[in-house]
Amino acid sequence: MNFKVKLTYTLLLGSLATLPATAQIEDVWTRFYNGPEERLEEILWDVYQTEDAGFAACGITGVRFPEQNRTATCFWVVRTNSDGELVWARAYPRDANNSDQAYTIIETDAGGFLVGGSFAEAHYIGSFGVILTSDDGDLLWRRICNGDNTGRCSAVIEMKDGDFLAAGNTWVEEGNIAYAVILNEDGDILEELFYPQGSVFGAVREIEDNGFIFSGGSRNGSWILRVDENYDVVWSRTFDDDVLYE
């Protein structure tokens, strides 16, 4: 059996605010995409509409390392046109001991793709990781943040000044906390941000009146954090619910 990944583009007919239970939902198209290897797992975790009205999706695919007689998983990016037809698909393996997964993707203003996820060794919990590719999918750089400490990147954005912000969680001496990192276009880490008020960031947005809004989870429930342009906390709110990922 050859695993295939399905990407479905669905059109909602009607206003979401007043969408009745009987509203018509139509699939505009459905496509299946193969990874580089047969009979290995493939999953797409996130999708982003590109400037040309196409799509870029990221996730996980398997790769074989015959010399070591092993298989590993790695970041996988699928690029399509607006009809879902494949433009290119690229896998980004490191070595035979890795179990990497990509969870979030955006297109950058320069036309490449910023992808976040986790870099793991031999199926262990991974470390917070980010890659940048060109518009053709060529790997420009790869970064593991906060050393080899346990973590995961769950959200990435390009900021107004052209730098990147990646958010998720990481492990420190006190335990698992929310974590974000600022990187420039060359992948240099400009600043690391640790927020012990929460345990994970699931999403981040830059806001109009300067600063950022994060959502995620804390030990007390779901969590929203507002910070100013210097990344200092303006307010922090928790809610008795699950983690907020958007």
Side-chain angles (χ1 to χ4, degrees), residues 49 164 205 222 237:
Q49 187 164 30
F164 304 120
R205 297 288 185 272
S222 56
R237 302 285 186 271

Side-chain angles (χ1 to χ4, degrees), residues 5-43:
V5 170
K6 179 175 79 169
L7 187 64
T8 301
Y9 183 36
T10 301
L11 177 66
L12 295 177
L13 303 179
S15 169
L16 290 177
T18 59
L19 196 63
T22 57
Q24 185 180 6
I25 300 176
E26 296 181 356
D27 287 349
V28 177
W29 50 256
T30 299
R31 300 283 185 267
F32 293 88
Y33 308 100
N34 292 324
E37 305 279 359
E38 292 186 354
R39 302 179 184 276
L40 293 179
E41 181 181 25
E42 294 140 2
I43 302 172

Side-chain angles (χ1 to χ4, degrees), residues 104-163:
T104 182
I105 186 171
I106 62 166
E107 184 180 27
T108 69
D109 289 345
F113 298 96
L114 186 70
V115 188
S118 65
F119 295 140
E121 307 293 332
H123 303 286
Y124 291 106
I125 298 174
S127 299
F128 189 110
V130 182
I131 69 169
L132 181 69
T133 80
S134 69
D135 59 347
D136 294 323
D138 295 330
L139 181 65
L140 301 179
W141 48 257
R142 177 189 283 118
R143 296 290 180 270
I144 295 178
C145 305
N146 197 30
D148 293 327
N149 292 307
T150 299
R152 162 178 161 172
C153 177
S154 301
V156 291
I157 62 170
E158 184 170 5
M159 300 188 295
K160 297 171 187 175
D161 63 7
D163 291 332

Side-chain angles (χ1 to χ4, degrees), residues 118-239:
S118 65
F119 295 140
E121 307 293 332
H123 303 286
Y124 291 106
I125 298 174
S127 299
F128 189 110
V130 182
I131 69 169
L132 181 69
T133 80
S134 69
D135 59 347
D136 294 323
D138 295 330
L139 181 65
L140 301 179
W141 48 257
R142 177 189 283 118
R143 296 290 180 270
I144 295 178
C145 305
N146 197 30
D148 293 327
N149 292 307
T150 299
R152 162 178 161 172
C153 177
S154 301
V156 291
I157 62 170
E158 184 170 5
M159 300 188 295
K160 297 171 187 175
D161 63 7
D163 291 332
F164 304 120
L165 189 157
N169 66 287
T170 193
W171 186 267
V172 295
E173 186 175 348
E174 294 78 13
N176 187 60
I177 66 170
Y179 170 74
V181 60
I182 312 299
L183 306 105
N184 65 16
E185 62 182 3
D186 296 320
D188 300 321
I189 296 176
L190 304 180
E191 193 163 358
E192 291 183 286
L193 309 169
F194 301 87
Y195 295 98
Q197 298 93 331
S199 55
V200 62
F201 287 133
V204 59
R205 297 288 185 272
E206 189 169 11
I207 54 182
E208 290 298 325
D209 56 346
N210 297 321
F212 302 86
I213 191 86
F214 296 87
S215 64
S218 73
R219 293 165 184 82
N220 299 315
S222 56
W223 175 50
I224 297 178
L225 177 74
R226 166 82 184 273
V227 304
D228 63 21
E229 64 270 24
N230 297 314
Y231 315 112
D232 295 322
V233 175
V234 177
W235 52 257
S236 175
R237 302 285 186 271
T238 57
F239 308 90

